[in-house]
Amino acid sequence: MELQACIEGRRSIRKYKTTPVPQTLIREMIQAAILAPSWKNSQTSRYYVAEGAAKKELETSLADFNQRNAHDAPVLIVSTVVTGRSGYTRDGAYETHLKDGFQYYDHGMQAMNLCLKAHELGLGTLIMGIYDEAVVRRFFSISENEAIVAVIAVGYADGESAMPKRKQVDDITVFKA
């Protein structure tokens, strides 16, 4: 698939087929995420994958509307970032005016790679940011030095999703010569 077609075709999917997703495809998605750039090559993103009965159990940590959206998705991926590394000096001081925000910038690039790879593989994704953090952390025994960023539903889309209206380049860009 050409990159432009992949970018234009990717959607947030809210209805899935119950067809299982082979773990090899999940691994390909995470490998694509790993290839994203990061601050000083810090590579601080981490992934926790729930399938089968574990997925059904983890699903209860989502907000009600996200439980409905992700109900038939066969996989949930919890994405985290190791804190205090991306955007920091070795002694733990901030090295950028964004302070701890740079770690989320890095993580966002990984998440986009993951979602684009999923689309290329014929899968749909939905990035969700409302969940019970304590439940998710306990479920996977996620260390306190990792910030939970999102829960991502993964599966085969059940139907087509239209592209929402998008702004134009001139709506969001300032050029100065």
Side-chain angles (χ1 to χ4, degrees), residues 65-76:
F65 63 91
N66 279 333
Q67 286 184 40
R68 288 189 298 278
N69 290 335
H71 180 70
D72 289 328
V75 177
L76 291 177

Side-chain angles (χ1 to χ4, degrees), residues 8 13 68 99 120 129 153:
E8 291 176 5
I13 303 301
R68 288 189 298 278
K99 300 184 178 170
E120 179 191 55

